[in-house]
Amino acid sequence: MKILMVCLGNICRSPLAHGVLQHYATQKGLPWEVDSAGTGDWHIGQAPDRRSIAVAQKYGIDISTQRAQWFEPHLFDQFDQILVMDRNNLRDVLAQARNVADKAKVQLFLTEGEVPDPYYDDNLFEPVYRLIADRCEEIVVRF
């Protein structure tokens, strides 16, 4: 299973989801490949936001070596599932789909609602982490 997590800048939400899901999959012995990308290109090559790194470290997960990448159509070929953090990301990723098969790989990360972007509010990083961690647990159990 190859799963790509997508948010806007690939420095807050998707790196957390990437790190948490990879951590849980590894713990369960699942040979999954997890990565992340952003629909915007502002942070390409940068490490995750320091606040995302800190909240992940609090729970024993190191995301500091991740580097932001821009979502491009060739990523449809590399991943089985593409999980996006909000409806804007969903729209942006689907706009790059080349066919029905590409579109079928894309869905919102949460079964209901969206993962809020914590970038402008330090107090959101912990609740966003918990939201992501809970959903990642569900994803790992599902398989």
Side-chain angles (χ1 to χ4, degrees), residues 10-133:
N10 193 209
I11 60 167
C12 294
R13 297 170 291 173
S14 58
L16 280 173
H18 168 182
V20 172
L21 185 60
Q22 188 67 69
H23 179 77
Y24 289 171
T26 299
Q27 283 185 324
K28 292 265 188 191
L30 300 170
W32 290 4
E33 177 184 322
V34 183
D35 204 346
S36 59
T39 57
D41 64 354
W42 313 280
H43 302 290
I44 294 173
Q46 294 179 15
D49 186 287
R50 63 177 171 69
R51 298 163 296 178
S52 287
I53 292 171
V55 75
Q57 278 184 328
K58 178 179 174 181
Y59 293 96
I61 300 169
D62 182 8
I63 64 170
S64 65
T65 61
Q66 293 181 27
R67 293 296 175 262
Q69 67 176 324
W70 190 24
F71 184 87
E72 297 181 273
H74 72 86
L75 293 173
F76 286 110
D77 299 327
Q78 296 175 8
F79 293 93
D80 303 309
Q81 288 191 329
I82 299 171
L83 304 178
V84 300
M85 298 296 132
D86 63 40
R87 285 180 179 75
N88 288 333
N89 305 142
L90 181 66
R91 181 197 65 229
D92 293 343
V93 170
L94 289 174
Q96 295 189 51
R98 303 160 298 185
N99 53 49
V100 173
D102 285 356
K103 289 180 181 180
K105 293 179 178 187
V106 183
Q107 63 186 30
L108 286 169
F109 176 75
L110 296 177
T111 55
E112 293 183 24
E114 301 175 320
V115 178
D117 189 346
Y119 186 77
Y120 293 106
D121 185 348
D122 292 351
N123 295 319
L124 281 179
F125 280 85
E126 180 74 28
V128 163
Y129 176 87
R130 285 294 347 137
L131 192 62
I132 287 171

